[in-house]
Amino acid sequence: MISTAINDLRASIASWRLWTLLGWLEVRQRYARSRFGAFWLTISMAVMVASIGLVYGTLFGQKIQDYLPFLAISLIMWTSFSQTVSEGASAYINSANYIRQAATPKLIYIFQVIWRSQIILAHNFIIVVILLVAFGVKNWWNVSLFIPGLLLFFLNAAWMAMSIGLLAARFRDLPQIVTALLQVAFYVTPIVYKPHALTRFSWVVTFNPLAYLIDIVRQPLIGEMPDALTWSVCIGMAVVGWCVALLLTGRYIKRIAYWV
């Protein structure tokens, strides 16, 4: 079973020109004939960061120079994660016409979603760069850990999108369930508040795997070093998650054309 999934994975990676083109065209079509194009994403995210930062920074008694970069990185990475997972849930459903008419590797539709999320992340990440320049980088050595952290971040988002997308093709209520669960996860994950803010309910963060996933990319950029537990959780999630995703894909990939 797993060999079938690996073969499809290899074929999908080899077809990178196709899914990168499809992902880029979808972003361009969404903002066609717009003066600012995809940079409307950056503008809307900047307004959100500024408004939430000023309000919650004041409520929490936070220093703006510390809280704004924290909030911007948290919101931008969460948006990228939630878009990858929620849109991945509908990847096969939305590509039903292609799947039924063309004999292409199936995982290219998941990679298309991941690539589109990376394009949006690149646009939004301009905000993080501006804030780091404005308030200063606290530790250049830690910043270098952002690259492996980002790789782990997308590896975990990818296996979730693969698994949920496959199951959602069979069970059509699943995309709505995933959207609802992501809304709940937003509030129990330290995004607008710092992890140590939950004193009595610190276990909510301790046992939340998404908190480690956000921390692995956020901490290096705000001058902190991710601890061994954060690395272990993210690496363990990636290894176990990819094994499960490949097993599911190998077992059910040939049924996708009938399900959609």
Side-chain angles (χ1 to χ4, degrees):
M1 291 187 300
I2 198 169
S3 60
T4 303
I6 292 176
N7 290 335
D8 192 274
L9 178 63
R10 289 175 178 171
S12 298
I13 294 174
S15 303
W16 63 271
R17 291 181 179 84
L18 177 59
W19 49 265
T20 53
L21 177 62
L22 290 174
W24 178 248
L25 286 177
E26 192 166 349
V27 174
R28 289 190 61 183
Q29 289 173 358
R30 188 178 302 180
Y31 297 94
R33 303 183 68 180
S34 171
R35 184 175 296 274
F36 293 103
F39 284 101
W40 275 115
L41 297 166
T42 309
I43 295 170
S44 60
M45 180 60 70
V47 172
M48 183 184 300
V49 169
S51 57
I52 295 178
L54 291 175
V55 173
Y56 282 88
T58 303
L59 289 175
F60 296 151
Q62 299 288 323
K63 295 180 179 179
I64 294 300
Q65 61 268 29
D66 294 330
Y67 185 65
L68 271 185
F70 171 90
L71 178 66
I73 298 165
S74 303
L75 282 176
I76 290 169
M77 297 312 302
W78 177 260
T79 299
S80 180
F81 171 79
S82 61
Q83 284 181 341
T84 301
V85 175
S86 61
E87 293 181 8
S90 303
Y92 294 127
I93 299 172
N94 294 338
S95 303
N97 290 333
Y98 296 111
I99 293 173
R100 288 195 292 259
Q101 296 177 16
T104 57
K106 302 300 184 290
L107 289 177
I108 65 170
Y109 305 109
I110 300 296
F111 289 164
Q112 176 186 347
V113 169
I114 297 171
W115 174 245
R116 185 169 64 245
S117 297
Q118 290 177 343
I119 295 173
I120 296 172
L121 174 62
H123 282 82
N124 288 335
F125 205 77
I126 297 173
I127 302 169
V128 176
V129 174
I130 292 173
L131 290 175
L132 291 179
V133 170
F135 297 121
V137 176
K138 295 182 178 180
N139 191 318
W140 283 101
W141 168 249
N142 288 351
V143 170
S144 63
L145 296 175
F146 168 73
I147 302 301
L150 185 65
L151 178 61
L152 278 173
F153 178 88
F154 274 112
L155 282 175
N156 280 288
W159 73 256
M160 293 181 196
M162 286 171 59
S163 303
I164 295 172
L166 186 65
L167 296 174
R170 176 63 179 84
F171 305 102
R172 294 303 178 90
D173 291 329
L174 192 56
Q176 287 72 30
I177 295 173
V178 169
T179 300
L181 290 176
L182 285 172
Q183 290 177 349
V184 175
F186 175 83
Y187 294 106
V188 299
T189 304
I191 296 171
V192 297
Y193 58 88
K194 294 193 175 181
H196 55 75
L198 296 178
T199 52
R200 292 177 54 193
F201 301 97
S202 59
W203 57 269
V204 174
V205 176
T206 303
F207 296 102
N208 183 356
L210 299 183
Y212 299 97
L213 203 58
I214 296 295
D215 267 344
I216 201 72
V217 291
R218 180 175 60 198
Q219 287 185 325
L221 294 176
I222 62 175
E224 299 177 4
M225 175 74 74
D227 57 22
L229 178 61
T230 302
W231 288 105
S232 299
V233 170
C234 292
I235 293 172
M237 285 173 56
V239 172
V240 175
W242 269 92
C243 290
V244 172
L246 289 174
L247 284 172
L248 285 174
T249 302
R251 183 176 181 84
Y252 298 112
I253 195 170
K254 294 182 180 179
R255 303 184 188 181
I256 293 177
Y258 302 98
W259 288 345
V260 297

